[in-house]
Amino acid sequence: MTASRTDGVDPAPNPHATAEEVEAALKDTKLAQVLYHDWEAETYDEKWSISYDERCIDYAKGRFVAAAGEQPLPYERALELGCGTGFFLLNLMQGGVAKKGSVTDLSPGMVKVALRNAENLGLDVDGRVADAETIPYEDDTFDLVVGHAVLHHIPDVEQSLREVLRVLKPGGRFVFAGEPSTIGNFYARLLGRITWEATTNITRLPFLNDWRRPQTELDESSRAAALEAVVDLHTFDPSDLEKLATSAGAVEVKASSEEFAAALLGWPVRTFEAAVPQEKLGWNWAKFAFGSWKALSWVDENVLKHVVPRSFFYNVMITGVKPGK
């Protein structure tokens, strides 16, 4: 089994955008998507603690089941829209959700890394650099379409969902997870900004200077953050996302949400990790971060989910089916 491109004309990645390119991208959201995600591609897995082992296989499959419920597996052929480094689809394939995969992303850098990850894992995956609003596959091609943290980057979400339904076979299902809720995005961004400012200011102190990343890296992170503000186009209320999917033509539409207490901890933790040198954070830190997230996720699922409105949770998931089977 091999991972390969379906054509030889995909544009090359541009991992080091200039200040001038960033300035231009501030007025062009799709250019911003390409520059930002090319910029992040080679370090994205590290930044978000993404792996392709049991930990993330269980996480990805857990998100799939949380959104869609128990389904007959495996699907024969699946597409990941806005694949990034392939985190969602590759781990779902390893978890037995799909046999054959295709990955698409507007960022050449992300497609390159996703295909490399697939090849390293021995998975049967092809890839295309593609716009989610005009998916370059024939009608009725896929049994399953998935995405993780992608819909909020797409200018016309309803048009993209129409395209998803077009390339799905009748009776095929889509599952999108990891989308920011409107309320969750507000408190997550606030916590992230406070943590970044506190960490970068405190580490200016002479006795904490070895906890400070080089200024060039901090400046580059700030430039990336400026682009991030451009590429994150939407937040979602679960009910509104259900209406969008239904309007696009899907049936059996259902939105759900997760991570409230877990997000209140997770965003400061991830921001702190981005602000200090990696070598300062060892195995004990990773164990604390992951263990705390798991514990708070249990509280979310078993306690808070029953008393807190779904719109307050950070991650929104949506599933639906193409009619006609």
Side-chain angles (χ1 to χ4, degrees):
M1 293 185 289
T2 59
S4 61
R5 299 185 190 283
T6 55
D7 61 45
V9 295
D10 282 350
N14 175 20
H16 300 292
T18 65
E20 291 75 19
E21 287 172 323
V22 172
E23 185 65 28
L26 296 178
K27 302 172 186 176
D28 182 343
T29 183
K30 290 192 177 181
L31 174 60
Q33 301 287 353
V34 174
L35 292 182
Y36 175 75
H37 290 100
D38 272 7
W39 201 337
E40 296 274 285
E42 293 292 341
T43 57
Y44 197 76
D45 284 350
E46 176 188 315
K47 175 182 177 181
W48 294 102
S49 299
I50 290 171
S51 61
Y52 300 90
D53 54 16
E54 184 179 355
R55 177 177 66 91
C56 280
I57 292 170
D58 289 347
Y59 177 85
K61 194 168 181 180
R63 308 289 68 70
F64 179 87
V65 172
E70 296 291 344
Q71 299 294 327
L73 302 176
Y75 290 85
E76 190 65 31
R77 188 175 181 190
L79 167 70
E80 182 170 14
L81 203 65
C83 63
T85 58
F87 153 73
F88 202 39
L89 180 59
L90 302 188
N91 279 313
L92 288 175
M93 290 177 72
Q94 291 192 101
V97 172
K99 293 181 182 178
K100 179 178 173 61
S102 299
V103 294
T104 63
D105 201 291
L106 200 58
S107 159
M110 288 295 192
V111 173
K112 175 184 175 183
V113 174
L115 288 174
R116 186 174 69 213
N117 285 338
E119 184 172 11
N120 290 339
L121 294 167
L123 297 173
D124 188 0
V125 176
D126 63 70
R128 299 283 297 272
V129 175
D131 190 323
E133 295 174 4
T134 52
I135 300 172
Y137 289 93
E138 298 295 325
D139 297 0
D140 306 334
T141 298
F142 298 99
D143 305 284
L144 174 69
V145 175
V146 300
H148 190 275
V150 59
L151 296 181
H152 69 286
H153 292 310
I154 301 171
D156 191 336
V157 176
E158 187 173 333
Q159 168 60 22
S160 179
L161 290 173
R162 288 195 196 99
E163 280 287 280
V164 166
L165 292 168
R166 179 184 64 78
V167 301
L168 275 171
K169 296 175 183 178
R173 178 176 294 276
F174 64 80
V175 173
F176 291 96
E179 300 298 335
S181 71
T182 301
I183 294 173
N185 186 69
F186 172 78
Y187 62 69
R189 296 295 180 188
L190 178 62
L191 288 170
R193 186 167 64 251
I194 291 170
T195 304
W196 179 265
E197 291 175 358
T199 304
T200 54
N201 283 325
I202 289 171
T203 53
R204 292 179 188 274
L205 296 172
F207 63 91
L208 290 176
N209 201 246
D210 60 342
W211 278 83
R212 184 176 178 81
R213 282 188 184 264
Q215 191 61 42
T216 53
E217 291 184 16
L218 294 175
D219 290 343
E220 186 157 333
S221 292
S222 295
R223 286 166 64 195
L227 277 180
E228 189 173 22
V230 179
V231 302
D232 289 349
L233 301 177
H234 310 289
T235 58
F236 300 102
D237 179 274
S239 297
D240 291 340
L241 192 53
E242 287 173 334
K243 291 174 186 174
L244 264 180
T246 302
S247 180
V251 297
E252 300 179 38
V253 172
K254 181 185 177 183
S256 51
S257 59
E258 62 181 2
E259 289 197 22
F260 181 51
L264 293 174
L265 173 73
W267 275 91
V269 164
R270 285 191 288 266
T271 305
F272 177 73
E273 290 171 346
V276 302
Q278 183 187 4
E279 61 270 17
K280 289 291 185 181
L281 304 173
W283 170 246
N284 286 335
W285 170 265
K287 188 176 178 181
F288 154 76
F290 183 59
S292 299
W293 176 84
K294 282 191 72 173
L296 291 175
S297 293
W298 185 93
V299 172
D300 286 336
E301 182 64 25
N302 293 281
V303 181
L304 298 182
K305 194 173 182 178
H306 302 291
V307 295
V308 177
R310 65 178 181 169
S311 59
F312 281 72
F313 288 72
Y314 180 77
N315 281 326
V316 180
M317 300 173 285
I318 184 81
T319 190
V321 170
K322 179 174 180 173
K325 187 173 182 179

PDB file of all heavy atoms in Angstrom, residues 240-274:
ATOM      1  N   ASP A 240     -27.404  26.151  14.725  1.00  0.00           N
ATOM      2  CA  ASP A 240     -27.212  26.813  13.436  1.00  0.00           C
ATOM      3  C   ASP A 240     -26.463  25.906  12.461  1.00  0.00           C
ATOM      4  O   ASP A 240     -26.747  25.900  11.258  1.00  0.00           O
ATOM      5  CB  ASP A 240     -26.444  28.124  13.624  1.00  0.00           C
ATOM      6  CG  ASP A 240     -27.254  29.172  14.357  1.00  0.00           C
ATOM      7  OD1 ASP A 240     -28.494  29.051  14.389  1.00  0.00           O
ATOM      8  OD2 ASP A 240     -26.644  30.115  14.911  1.00  0.00           O
ATOM      9  N   LEU A 241     -25.508  25.125  12.967  1.00  0.00           N
ATOM     10  CA  LEU A 241     -24.769  24.212  12.104  1.00  0.00           C
ATOM     11  C   LEU A 241     -25.689  23.102  11.587  1.00  0.00           C
ATOM     12  O   LEU A 241     -25.582  22.687  10.424  1.00  0.00           O
ATOM     13  CB  LEU A 241     -23.578  23.621  12.863  1.00  0.00           C
ATOM     14  CG  LEU A 241     -22.544  22.863  12.032  1.00  0.00           C
ATOM     15  CD1 LEU A 241     -22.031  23.694  10.867  1.00  0.00           C
ATOM     16  CD2 LEU A 241     -21.377  22.425  12.917  1.00  0.00           C
ATOM     17  N   GLU A 242     -26.607  22.642  12.409  1.00  0.00           N
ATOM     18  CA  GLU A 242     -27.605  21.673  11.948  1.00  0.00           C
ATOM     19  C   GLU A 242     -28.445  22.245  10.815  1.00  0.00           C
ATOM     20  O   GLU A 242     -28.711  21.560   9.812  1.00  0.00           O
ATOM     21  CB  GLU A 242     -28.502  21.252  13.115  1.00  0.00           C
ATOM     22  CG  GLU A 242     -27.834  20.330  14.117  1.00  0.00           C
ATOM     23  CD  GLU A 242     -28.693  20.067  15.335  1.00  0.00           C
ATOM     24  OE1 GLU A 242     -29.554  20.914  15.671  1.00  0.00           O
ATOM     25  OE2 GLU A 242     -28.500  19.011  15.969  1.00  0.00           O
ATOM     26  N   LYS A 243     -28.844  23.498  10.942  1.00  0.00           N
ATOM     27  CA  LYS A 243     -29.654  24.134   9.893  1.00  0.00           C
ATOM     28  C   LYS A 243     -28.861  24.260   8.593  1.00  0.00           C
ATOM     29  O   LYS A 243     -29.405  24.063   7.504  1.00  0.00           O
ATOM     30  CB  LYS A 243     -30.117  25.510  10.368  1.00  0.00           C
ATOM     31  CG  LYS A 243     -31.137  25.464  11.491  1.00  0.00           C
ATOM     32  CD  LYS A 243     -31.440  26.858  12.014  1.00  0.00           C
ATOM     33  CE  LYS A 243     -32.349  26.805  13.241  1.00  0.00           C
ATOM     34  NZ  LYS A 243     -32.541  28.146  13.849  1.00  0.00           N
ATOM     35  N   LEU A 244     -27.563  24.588   8.694  1.00  0.00           N
ATOM     36  CA  LEU A 244     -26.714  24.685   7.502  1.00  0.00           C
ATOM     37  C   LEU A 244     -26.633  23.356   6.773  1.00  0.00           C
ATOM     38  O   LEU A 244     -26.769  23.290   5.548  1.00  0.00           O
ATOM     39  CB  LEU A 244     -25.299  25.125   7.908  1.00  0.00           C
ATOM     40  CG  LEU A 244     -24.915  26.589   7.832  1.00  0.00           C
ATOM     41  CD1 LEU A 244     -23.467  26.763   8.295  1.00  0.00           C
ATOM     42  CD2 LEU A 244     -25.083  27.129   6.433  1.00  0.00           C
ATOM     43  N   ALA A 245     -26.397  22.290   7.518  1.00  0.00           N
ATOM     44  CA  ALA A 245     -26.260  20.968   6.911  1.00  0.00           C
ATOM     45  C   ALA A 245     -27.570  20.521   6.277  1.00  0.00           C
ATOM     46  O   ALA A 245     -27.578  19.920   5.195  1.00  0.00           O
ATOM     47  CB  ALA A 245     -25.792  19.955   7.948  1.00  0.00           C
ATOM     48  N   THR A 246     -28.683  20.809   6.931  1.00  0.00           N
ATOM     49  CA  THR A 246     -29.989  20.456   6.383  1.00  0.00           C
ATOM     50  C   THR A 246     -30.275  21.252   5.117  1.00  0.00           C
ATOM     51  O   THR A 246     -30.757  20.706   4.119  1.00  0.00           O
ATOM     52  CB  THR A 246     -31.087  20.694   7.431  1.00  0.00           C
ATOM     53  OG1 THR A 246     -30.802  19.908   8.601  1.00  0.00           O
ATOM     54  CG2 THR A 246     -32.454  20.327   6.884  1.00  0.00           C
ATOM     55  N   SER A 247     -29.943  22.536   5.139  1.00  0.00           N
ATOM     56  CA  SER A 247     -30.133  23.384   3.964  1.00  0.00           C
ATOM     57  C   SER A 247     -29.293  22.916   2.782  1.00  0.00           C
ATOM     58  O   SER A 247     -29.697  23.032   1.627  1.00  0.00           O
ATOM     59  CB  SER A 247     -29.780  24.834   4.309  1.00  0.00           C
ATOM     60  OG  SER A 247     -29.943  25.680   3.193  1.00  0.00           O
ATOM     61  N   ALA A 248     -28.107  22.346   3.074  1.00  0.00           N
ATOM     62  CA  ALA A 248     -27.242  21.832   2.011  1.00  0.00           C
ATOM     63  C   ALA A 248     -27.798  20.571   1.373  1.00  0.00           C
ATOM     64  O   ALA A 248     -27.345  20.174   0.292  1.00  0.00           O
ATOM     65  CB  ALA A 248     -25.847  21.562   2.564  1.00  0.00           C
ATOM     66  N   GLY A 249     -28.771  19.917   2.039  1.00  0.00           N
ATOM     67  CA  GLY A 249     -29.400  18.738   1.466  1.00  0.00           C
ATOM     68  C   GLY A 249     -29.204  17.460   2.246  1.00  0.00           C
ATOM     69  O   GLY A 249     -29.635  16.391   1.804  1.00  0.00           O
ATOM     70  N   ALA A 250     -28.571  17.532   3.419  1.00  0.00           N
ATOM     71  CA  ALA A 250     -28.323  16.327   4.202  1.00  0.00           C
ATOM     72  C   ALA A 250     -29.563  15.913   4.984  1.00  0.00           C
ATOM     73  O   ALA A 250     -30.428  16.738   5.315  1.00  0.00           O
ATOM     74  CB  ALA A 250     -27.155  16.555   5.159  1.00  0.00           C
ATOM     75  N   VAL A 251     -29.639  14.613   5.293  1.00  0.00           N
ATOM     76  CA  VAL A 251     -30.678  14.089   6.170  1.00  0.00           C
ATOM     77  C   VAL A 251     -29.999  13.437   7.368  1.00  0.00           C
ATOM     78  O   VAL A 251     -28.778  13.273   7.395  1.00  0.00           O
ATOM     79  CB  VAL A 251     -31.579  13.078   5.432  1.00  0.00           C
ATOM     80  CG1 VAL A 251     -32.321  13.758   4.294  1.00  0.00           C
ATOM     81  CG2 VAL A 251     -30.764  11.892   4.900  1.00  0.00           C
ATOM     82  N   GLU A 252     -30.804  13.078   8.356  1.00  0.00           N
ATOM     83  CA  GLU A 252     -30.276  12.482   9.597  1.00  0.00           C
ATOM     84  C   GLU A 252     -29.182  13.364  10.201  1.00  0.00           C
ATOM     85  O   GLU A 252     -28.155  12.871  10.692  1.00  0.00           O
ATOM     86  CB  GLU A 252     -29.743  11.066   9.341  1.00  0.00           C
ATOM     87  CG  GLU A 252     -30.786  10.100   8.816  1.00  0.00           C
ATOM     88  CD  GLU A 252     -30.233   8.715   8.549  1.00  0.00           C
ATOM     89  OE1 GLU A 252     -29.377   8.238   9.342  1.00  0.00           O
ATOM     90  OE2 GLU A 252     -30.635   8.094   7.542  1.00  0.00           O
ATOM     91  N   VAL A 253     -29.419  14.660  10.181  1.00  0.00           N
ATOM     92  CA  VAL A 253     -28.426  15.623  10.662  1.00  0.00           C
ATOM     93  C   VAL A 253     -28.491  15.722  12.187  1.00  0.00           C
ATOM     94  O   VAL A 253     -29.566  15.814  12.774  1.00  0.00           O
ATOM     95  CB  VAL A 253     -28.678  17.009  10.030  1.00  0.00           C
ATOM     96  CG1 VAL A 253     -27.771  18.062  10.673  1.00  0.00           C
ATOM     97  CG2 VAL A 253     -28.466  16.949   8.524  1.00  0.00           C
ATOM     98  N   LYS A 254     -27.317  15.704  12.796  1.00  0.00           N
ATOM     99  CA  LYS A 254     -27.261  15.848  14.254  1.00  0.00           C
ATOM    100  C   LYS A 254     -25.953  16.509  14.659  1.00  0.00           C
ATOM    101  O   LYS A 254     -24.875  16.078  14.254  1.00  0.00           O
ATOM    102  CB  LYS A 254     -27.364  14.482  14.931  1.00  0.00           C
ATOM    103  CG  LYS A 254     -27.330  14.562  16.461  1.00  0.00           C
ATOM    104  CD  LYS A 254     -27.310  13.180  17.097  1.00  0.00           C
ATOM    105  CE  LYS A 254     -27.190  13.267  18.614  1.00  0.00           C
ATOM    106  NZ  LYS A 254     -27.088  11.928  19.251  1.00  0.00           N
ATOM    107  N   ALA A 255     -26.051  17.568  15.458  1.00  0.00           N
ATOM    108  CA  ALA A 255     -24.871  18.220  16.030  1.00  0.00           C
ATOM    109  C   ALA A 255     -24.774  17.873  17.510  1.00  0.00           C
ATOM    110  O   ALA A 255     -25.779  17.704  18.194  1.00  0.00           O
ATOM    111  CB  ALA A 255     -24.950  19.734  15.858  1.00  0.00           C
ATOM    112  N   SER A 256     -23.547  17.769  17.979  1.00  0.00           N
ATOM    113  CA  SER A 256     -23.295  17.547  19.403  1.00  0.00           C
ATOM    114  C   SER A 256     -22.053  18.343  19.777  1.00  0.00           C
ATOM    115  O   SER A 256     -21.394  18.931  18.911  1.00  0.00           O
ATOM    116  CB  SER A 256     -23.106  16.057  19.699  1.00  0.00           C
ATOM    117  OG  SER A 256     -22.145  15.488  18.829  1.00  0.00           O
ATOM    118  N   SER A 257     -21.733  18.383  21.047  1.00  0.00           N
ATOM    119  CA  SER A 257     -20.571  19.174  21.467  1.00  0.00           C
ATOM    120  C   SER A 257     -19.882  18.503  22.642  1.00  0.00           C
ATOM    121  O   SER A 257     -20.448  17.648  23.322  1.00  0.00           O
ATOM    122  CB  SER A 257     -20.995  20.603  21.833  1.00  0.00           C
ATOM    123  OG  SER A 257     -21.942  20.593  22.887  1.00  0.00           O
ATOM    124  N   GLU A 258     -18.627  18.908  22.863  1.00  0.00           N
ATOM    125  CA  GLU A 258     -17.829  18.347  23.953  1.00  0.00           C
ATOM    126  C   GLU A 258     -16.739  19.340  24.354  1.00  0.00           C
ATOM    127  O   GLU A 258     -16.476  20.306  23.654  1.00  0.00           O
ATOM    128  CB  GLU A 258     -17.197  17.022  23.531  1.00  0.00           C
ATOM    129  CG  GLU A 258     -16.247  17.149  22.359  1.00  0.00           C
ATOM    130  CD  GLU A 258     -15.637  15.816  21.944  1.00  0.00           C
ATOM    131  OE1 GLU A 258     -15.985  14.789  22.534  1.00  0.00           O
ATOM    132  OE2 GLU A 258     -14.805  15.830  21.026  1.00  0.00           O
ATOM    133  N   GLU A 259     -16.120  19.076  25.480  1.00  0.00           N
ATOM    134  CA  GLU A 259     -15.022  19.860  26.060  1.00  0.00           C
ATOM    135  C   GLU A 259     -15.483  21.225  26.576  1.00  0.00           C
ATOM    136  O   GLU A 259     -15.585  22.187  25.839  1.00  0.00           O
ATOM    137  CB  GLU A 259     -13.865  20.042  25.060  1.00  0.00           C
ATOM    138  CG  GLU A 259     -13.090  18.774  24.816  1.00  0.00           C
ATOM    139  CD  GLU A 259     -11.728  19.029  24.168  1.00  0.00           C
ATOM    140  OE1 GLU A 259     -11.207  20.160  24.277  1.00  0.00           O
ATOM    141  OE2 GLU A 259     -11.198  18.092  23.548  1.00  0.00           O
ATOM    142  N   PHE A 260     -15.748  21.259  27.832  1.00  0.00           N
ATOM    143  CA  PHE A 260     -16.008  22.520  28.530  1.00  0.00           C
ATOM    144  C   PHE A 260     -14.921  22.719  29.585  1.00  0.00           C
ATOM    145  O   PHE A 260     -14.020  23.522  29.405  1.00  0.00           O
ATOM    146  CB  PHE A 260     -17.406  22.513  29.152  1.00  0.00           C
ATOM    147  CG  PHE A 260     -17.753  23.787  29.876  1.00  0.00           C
ATOM    148  CD1 PHE A 260     -17.605  25.021  29.258  1.00  0.00           C
ATOM    149  CD2 PHE A 260     -18.226  23.757  31.184  1.00  0.00           C
ATOM    150  CE1 PHE A 260     -17.929  26.200  29.930  1.00  0.00           C
ATOM    151  CE2 PHE A 260     -18.560  24.921  31.856  1.00  0.00           C
ATOM    152  CZ  PHE A 260     -18.403  26.143  31.232  1.00  0.00           C
ATOM    153  N   ALA A 261     -14.959  21.918  30.643  1.00  0.00           N
ATOM    154  CA  ALA A 261     -13.880  21.992  31.635  1.00  0.00           C
ATOM    155  C   ALA A 261     -12.539  21.660  30.988  1.00  0.00           C
ATOM    156  O   ALA A 261     -11.514  22.286  31.297  1.00  0.00           O
ATOM    157  CB  ALA A 261     -14.165  21.025  32.789  1.00  0.00           C
ATOM    158  N   ALA A 262     -12.530  20.683  30.080  1.00  0.00           N
ATOM    159  CA  ALA A 262     -11.279  20.299  29.415  1.00  0.00           C
ATOM    160  C   ALA A 262     -10.708  21.448  28.591  1.00  0.00           C
ATOM    161  O   ALA A 262      -9.486  21.621  28.504  1.00  0.00           O
ATOM    162  CB  ALA A 262     -11.515  19.085  28.526  1.00  0.00           C
ATOM    163  N   ALA A 263     -11.561  22.249  27.977  1.00  0.00           N
ATOM    164  CA  ALA A 263     -11.088  23.384  27.183  1.00  0.00           C
ATOM    165  C   ALA A 263     -10.574  24.514  28.068  1.00  0.00           C
ATOM    166  O   ALA A 263      -9.622  25.214  27.707  1.00  0.00           O
ATOM    167  CB  ALA A 263     -12.212  23.903  26.286  1.00  0.00           C
ATOM    168  N   LEU A 264     -11.189  24.690  29.222  1.00  0.00           N
ATOM    169  CA  LEU A 264     -10.737  25.738  30.141  1.00  0.00           C
ATOM    170  C   LEU A 264      -9.303  25.499  30.594  1.00  0.00           C
ATOM    171  O   LEU A 264      -8.555  26.445  30.865  1.00  0.00           O
ATOM    172  CB  LEU A 264     -11.668  25.820  31.347  1.00  0.00           C
ATOM    173  CG  LEU A 264     -13.098  26.301  31.071  1.00  0.00           C
ATOM    174  CD1 LEU A 264     -13.942  26.202  32.330  1.00  0.00           C
ATOM    175  CD2 LEU A 264     -13.108  27.725  30.528  1.00  0.00           C
ATOM    176  N   LEU A 265      -8.910  24.237  30.679  1.00  0.00           N
ATOM    177  CA  LEU A 265      -7.516  23.908  30.989  1.00  0.00           C
ATOM    178  C   LEU A 265      -6.674  23.815  29.716  1.00  0.00           C
ATOM    179  O   LEU A 265      -5.546  24.289  29.667  1.00  0.00           O
ATOM    180  CB  LEU A 265      -7.434  22.576  31.738  1.00  0.00           C
ATOM    181  CG  LEU A 265      -6.000  22.068  31.956  1.00  0.00           C
ATOM    182  CD1 LEU A 265      -5.300  22.907  33.024  1.00  0.00           C
ATOM    183  CD2 LEU A 265      -5.992  20.596  32.354  1.00  0.00           C
ATOM    184  N   GLY A 266      -7.236  23.197  28.676  1.00  0.00           N
ATOM    185  CA  GLY A 266      -6.457  22.880  27.478  1.00  0.00           C
ATOM    186  C   GLY A 266      -5.880  24.079  26.772  1.00  0.00           C
ATOM    187  O   GLY A 266      -4.723  24.043  26.327  1.00  0.00           O
ATOM    188  N   TRP A 267      -6.649  25.149  26.648  1.00  0.00           N
ATOM    189  CA  TRP A 267      -6.133  26.309  25.914  1.00  0.00           C
ATOM    190  C   TRP A 267      -4.965  26.991  26.621  1.00  0.00           C
ATOM    191  O   TRP A 267      -3.954  27.288  25.991  1.00  0.00           O
ATOM    192  CB  TRP A 267      -7.269  27.285  25.616  1.00  0.00           C
ATOM    193  CG  TRP A 267      -7.960  26.873  24.352  1.00  0.00           C
ATOM    194  CD1 TRP A 267      -9.027  26.052  24.230  1.00  0.00           C
ATOM    195  CD2 TRP A 267      -7.551  27.210  23.025  1.00  0.00           C
ATOM    196  NE1 TRP A 267      -9.337  25.860  22.903  1.00  0.00           N
ATOM    197  CE2 TRP A 267      -8.461  26.561  22.141  1.00  0.00           C
ATOM    198  CE3 TRP A 267      -6.543  28.001  22.499  1.00  0.00           C
ATOM    199  CZ2 TRP A 267      -8.362  26.681  20.758  1.00  0.00           C
ATOM    200  CZ3 TRP A 267      -6.443  28.125  21.115  1.00  0.00           C
ATOM    201  CH2 TRP A 267      -7.342  27.466  20.263  1.00  0.00           C
ATOM    202  N   PRO A 268      -5.024  27.243  27.936  1.00  0.00           N
ATOM    203  CA  PRO A 268      -3.826  27.771  28.602  1.00  0.00           C
ATOM    204  C   PRO A 268      -2.626  26.837  28.509  1.00  0.00           C
ATOM    205  O   PRO A 268      -1.488  27.290  28.317  1.00  0.00           O
ATOM    206  CB  PRO A 268      -4.289  27.949  30.052  1.00  0.00           C
ATOM    207  CG  PRO A 268      -5.759  28.129  29.961  1.00  0.00           C
ATOM    208  CD  PRO A 268      -6.200  27.244  28.824  1.00  0.00           C
ATOM    209  N   VAL A 269      -2.864  25.519  28.611  1.00  0.00           N
ATOM    210  CA  VAL A 269      -1.755  24.560  28.529  1.00  0.00           C
ATOM    211  C   VAL A 269      -1.081  24.633  27.170  1.00  0.00           C
ATOM    212  O   VAL A 269       0.155  24.704  27.064  1.00  0.00           O
ATOM    213  CB  VAL A 269      -2.264  23.131  28.823  1.00  0.00           C
ATOM    214  CG1 VAL A 269      -1.242  22.093  28.364  1.00  0.00           C
ATOM    215  CG2 VAL A 269      -2.541  22.960  30.312  1.00  0.00           C
ATOM    216  N   ARG A 270      -1.868  24.597  26.088  1.00  0.00           N
ATOM    217  CA  ARG A 270      -1.285  24.623  24.741  1.00  0.00           C
ATOM    218  C   ARG A 270      -0.569  25.937  24.467  1.00  0.00           C
ATOM    219  O   ARG A 270       0.471  25.969  23.805  1.00  0.00           O
ATOM    220  CB  ARG A 270      -2.378  24.360  23.706  1.00  0.00           C
ATOM    221  CG  ARG A 270      -2.820  22.907  23.641  1.00  0.00           C
ATOM    222  CD  ARG A 270      -3.687  22.640  22.437  1.00  0.00           C
ATOM    223  NE  ARG A 270      -5.003  23.230  22.558  1.00  0.00           N
ATOM    224  CZ  ARG A 270      -6.077  22.587  23.020  1.00  0.00           C
ATOM    225  NH1 ARG A 270      -5.980  21.338  23.431  1.00  0.00           N
ATOM    226  NH2 ARG A 270      -7.242  23.196  23.074  1.00  0.00           N
ATOM    227  N   THR A 271      -1.134  27.036  24.974  1.00  0.00           N
ATOM    228  CA  THR A 271      -0.497  28.334  24.766  1.00  0.00           C
ATOM    229  C   THR A 271       0.825  28.412  25.512  1.00  0.00           C
ATOM    230  O   THR A 271       1.818  28.915  24.980  1.00  0.00           O
ATOM    231  CB  THR A 271      -1.431  29.470  25.227  1.00  0.00           C
ATOM    232  OG1 THR A 271      -2.690  29.344  24.562  1.00  0.00           O
ATOM    233  CG2 THR A 271      -0.821  30.826  24.917  1.00  0.00           C
ATOM    234  N   PHE A 272       0.855  27.915  26.722  1.00  0.00           N
ATOM    235  CA  PHE A 272       2.094  27.889  27.500  1.00  0.00           C
ATOM    236  C   PHE A 272       3.155  27.060  26.786  1.00  0.00           C
ATOM    237  O   PHE A 272       4.326  27.457  26.695  1.00  0.00           O
ATOM    238  CB  PHE A 272       1.810  27.318  28.901  1.00  0.00           C
ATOM    239  CG  PHE A 272       3.031  27.179  29.761  1.00  0.00           C
ATOM    240  CD1 PHE A 272       3.642  28.295  30.307  1.00  0.00           C
ATOM    241  CD2 PHE A 272       3.567  25.924  30.022  1.00  0.00           C
ATOM    242  CE1 PHE A 272       4.783  28.165  31.101  1.00  0.00           C
ATOM    243  CE2 PHE A 272       4.700  25.788  30.812  1.00  0.00           C
ATOM    244  CZ  PHE A 272       5.302  26.911  31.357  1.00  0.00           C
ATOM    245  N   GLU A 273       2.757  25.918  26.233  1.00  0.00           N
ATOM    246  CA  GLU A 273       3.701  25.064  25.510  1.00  0.00           C
ATOM    247  C   GLU A 273       4.292  25.775  24.300  1.00  0.00           C
ATOM    248  O   GLU A 273       5.452  25.569  23.952  1.00  0.00           O
ATOM    249  CB  GLU A 273       2.997  23.781  25.060  1.00  0.00           C
ATOM    250  CG  GLU A 273       2.661  22.844  26.212  1.00  0.00           C
ATOM    251  CD  GLU A 273       1.784  21.679  25.791  1.00  0.00           C
ATOM    252  OE1 GLU A 273       1.217  21.728  24.679  1.00  0.00           O
ATOM    253  OE2 GLU A 273       1.659  20.727  26.592  1.00  0.00           O
ATOM    254  N   ALA A 274       3.496  26.625  23.661  1.00  0.00           N
ATOM    255  CA  ALA A 274       3.980  27.349  22.485  1.00  0.00           C
ATOM    256  C   ALA A 274       4.906  28.502  22.859  1.00  0.00           C
ATOM    257  O   ALA A 274       5.668  28.978  22.019  1.00  0.00           O
ATOM    258  CB  ALA A 274       2.798  27.892  21.679  1.00  0.00           C
TER     259      ALA A 274
END
